[in-house]
Amino acid sequence: DTAVSQTPKYLVTQMGNDKSIKCEQNLGHDTMYWYKQDSKKFLKIMFSYNNKELIINETVPNRFSPKSPDKAHLNLHINSLELGDSAVYFCASSQDRRGSLTTDTQYFGPGTRLTVL
Amino acid sequence: QQPVQSPQAVILREGEDAVINCSSSKALYSVHWYRQKHGEAPVFLMILLKGGEQKGHEKISASFNEKKQQSSLYLTASQLSYSGTYFCGSGSGNTGKLIFGQGTTLQVKP
C-alpha cells in the first residue's frame, strides 16, 4: 500500500489555466505539507496543515490555495498558472502534533511534475 | 534561514568514503537527513535530536554538534546505490517546519 500518494504524476498545461493536485496519506498522520522543488532541486515548504488546520503558510502567491477536507487529504489548487510555477510539487506527511517540541520524520509522496507552457 | 551544505557535489569510486556537512547560522533544534534519487521523492535517512547525538544506518551515519550548529553525514565504503542528492533539514518544534539545505549531489562510480 502506498503511504503518501499524489495525482496526477505529470501535469502539462497552458499559462493562465487553473489546475489542482491531490494528495492522500494512509499513515494516520496528523500533519500534511506541500513542498515545491525547482529546477535547481531547491526544496521549499509552501504550506502545512495539522488536522485540517492551516499551520504553515509561507510566502507563496495567493494564486496557490491549499485545502484539507480531512486529515488524510491535502489538495493544492493553483489559479492563473504562470511559467514560473513549473516545478515538482511534493506532498508529505508526518505525525507532528501541535505543540510538539520536535519535528517528526516526514514521508514524501512521489511528486507531481507541473509544466506550464 | 536555509542551512548550508558542503560540498555541493562529490564524485566517488565504489568503496570510498564521503562526508557531507550541514551548517546553520541559526540554532538547530533537530537535523533531518534525506536522500533523493533522480526522479524520485526524498527518502528519510535519519533524524538527530540532541547535541552530541550520533546515529548509524548500515554504513551511513551522522553526528550533530549543537554548539557549532552543524551536522555531518558520513558515508562509508560507498556503494552505487548511494548515488543521489542528500539534503539536510533544520527542524523547529511546534509547527513541524523543515527548512532544507540546497542539497549535495553524490555520484558513486564503479
Side-chain angles (χ1 to χ4, degrees):
Chain A
D1 273 351
T2 306
V4 183
S5 58
Q6 292 179 229
T7 53
K9 190 163 173 62
Y10 300 96
L11 191 49
V12 181
T13 188
Q14 300 286 332
M15 262 195 326
N17 284 350
D18 303 338
K19 289 294 177 187
S20 291
I21 306 171
K22 296 188 174 183
C23 178
E24 176 180 0
Q25 54 95 3
N26 62 7
L27 297 167
H29 285 166
D30 285 352
T31 306
M32 296 183 73
Y33 310 81
W34 278 113
Y35 285 89
K36 178 181 181 180
Q37 187 170 46
D38 61 22
S39 56
K40 294 184 180 177
K41 296 189 181 177
F42 179 37
L43 197 56
K44 189 176 187 312
I45 180 94
M46 299 172 70
F47 303 103
S48 161
Y49 270 76
N50 177 276
N51 247 325
K52 302 193 295 175
E53 183 185 351
L54 183 65
I55 302 299
I56 298 172
N57 187 358
E58 293 292 290
T59 310
V60 174
N62 57 15
R63 298 181 294 103
F64 290 79
S65 51
K67 280 198 174 47
S68 182
D70 56 62
K71 75 173 193 177
H73 295 85
L74 179 62
N75 303 323
L76 183 66
H77 188 75
I78 316 169
N79 289 328
S80 304
L81 278 155
E82 300 178 357
L83 293 175
D85 297 334
S86 295
V88 180
Y89 292 85
F90 286 102
C91 174
S93 74
S94 73
Q95 192 55 63
D96 280 283
R97 293 186 176 88
R98 289 298 298 279
S100 165
L101 294 178
T102 60
T103 303
D104 286 334
T105 301
Q106 294 185 14
Y107 296 86
F108 284 78
T112 296
R113 181 174 291 277
L114 172 66
T115 304
V116 183
L117 304 174
Chain B
Q1 242 178 341
Q2 184 185 16
V4 176
Q5 291 181 229
S6 62
Q8 284 197 331
V10 59
I11 300 174
L12 299 173
R13 293 280 177 197
E14 257 186 308
E16 291 181 340
D17 302 341
V19 180
I20 299 172
N21 298 304
C22 175
S23 63
S24 174
S25 58
K26 294 177 80 172
L28 285 170
Y29 295 100
S30 62
V31 179
H32 304 236
W33 285 98
Y34 285 77
R35 176 171 62 207
Q36 184 180 28
K37 292 184 180 281
H38 183 69
E40 297 181 9
V43 172
F44 172 75
L45 291 176
M46 62 190 82
I47 179 174
L48 299 107
L49 297 175
K50 297 182 218 175
E53 187 173 13
Q54 294 191 332
K55 276 195 175 175
H57 175 67
E58 295 182 345
K59 292 180 183 174
I60 300 175
S61 61
S63 62
F64 179 18
N65 187 325
E66 197 172 19
K67 282 186 180 174
K68 290 186 179 179
Q69 296 172 183
Q70 287 178 348
S71 177
S72 295
L73 186 73
Y74 307 93
L75 300 107
T76 307
S78 58
Q79 304 167 16
L80 295 175
S81 62
Y82 287 3
S83 293
T85 301
Y86 289 79
F87 293 95
C88 69
S90 163
S92 62
N94 282 343
T95 64
K97 182 175 178 177
L98 265 186
I99 301 176
F100 284 99
Q102 81 278 20
T104 295
T105 301
L106 180 79
Q107 186 180 2
V108 181
K109 293 186 171 182

